[in-house]
Amino acid sequence: MRSWASLIAVSALAGLLAGRCETGPELADPGAAMSITVSSSAFADGGDIPRRYTCDGDDLSPPLAFGGIPSGARELTLLVEDPDAPNGTFVHWVAWGIDPAQPTLGEGEAAGGSGTNGFGRTGYGGPCPPPGPAHRYIFKVFALSRPSGLRAGATAADLRSAADGAVLAEGTLTGRYARE
């Protein structure tokens, strides 16, 4: 009897702790296979981001393509972040309003809506790490079951909040960049 009560108590505690974890937007249907392919003709996943797309070059956003978009998607959103920044994750792009029926962004093309990046500007701000080892830049796309409703200047936290409970699928592309 005592071990049964202990098991119930441990299960209840695990449930409480799990409810406090913040891992990002919740999926709309946690049981579905939810993977978007994110790719760029400018660099391979895990490869080096060409200088052209950084603060040392033209600071243009790279071309992106998204595949495997679920049929119920109403909007695609995009976050580009550097988790290796010295002071914690740095946001390079907050974007939304990408039409799932035309799941691409050309070189330098703005999304339907853009928020505030870590540079304090709206739109894309390319990799610009301090000298040293390469940083990772994660391009993360969410397919939402509803429009995000975001307004100009929205932050990464605003995008995550708007996506909460509406994510049908997601995918990432990781690029690397180092400065001498």
Side-chain angles (χ1 to χ4, degrees):
M1 199 57 135
R2 180 184 162 130
S3 64
W4 189 242
S6 296
L7 180 60
I8 292 171
V10 169
S11 294
L13 180 59
L16 285 172
L17 292 175
R20 293 178 187 225
C21 293
E22 292 186 27
T23 58
E26 299 229 1
L27 299 171
D29 180 3
M34 298 158 271
S35 183
I36 294 174
T37 303
V38 184
S39 62
S40 177
S41 58
F43 62 95
D45 190 33
D48 292 334
I49 297 172
R51 182 182 178 105
R52 175 174 178 78
Y53 306 109
T54 74
C55 69
D56 296 321
D58 296 326
D59 210 13
L60 294 172
S61 59
L64 298 170
F66 318 112
I69 307 298
S71 61
R74 301 275 312 275
E75 180 178 338
L76 301 179
T77 62
L78 171 67
L79 284 175
V80 179
E81 296 176 310
D82 171 4
D84 303 319
N87 295 320
T89 299
F90 189 88
V91 177
H92 286 267
W93 200 6
V94 178
W96 61 89
I98 303 165
D99 184 353
Q102 297 178 347
T104 62
L105 286 173
E107 178 182 84
E109 182 180 351
S114 284
T116 304
N117 61 36
F119 299 109
R121 300 187 310 255
T122 299
Y124 177 80
C128 200
H135 284 214
R136 293 168 295 149
Y137 296 88
I138 301 171
F139 293 71
K140 187 164 193 168
V141 175
F142 299 102
L144 304 183
S145 61
R146 64 177 186 255
S148 66
L150 293 168
R151 298 192 187 279
T155 64
D158 294 333
L159 187 148
R160 286 188 176 95
S161 179
D164 195 29
V167 177
L168 297 173
E170 61 184 72
T172 61
L173 169 67
T174 302
R176 300 170 47 83
Y177 186 70
R179 296 173 86 192
E180 298 173 12

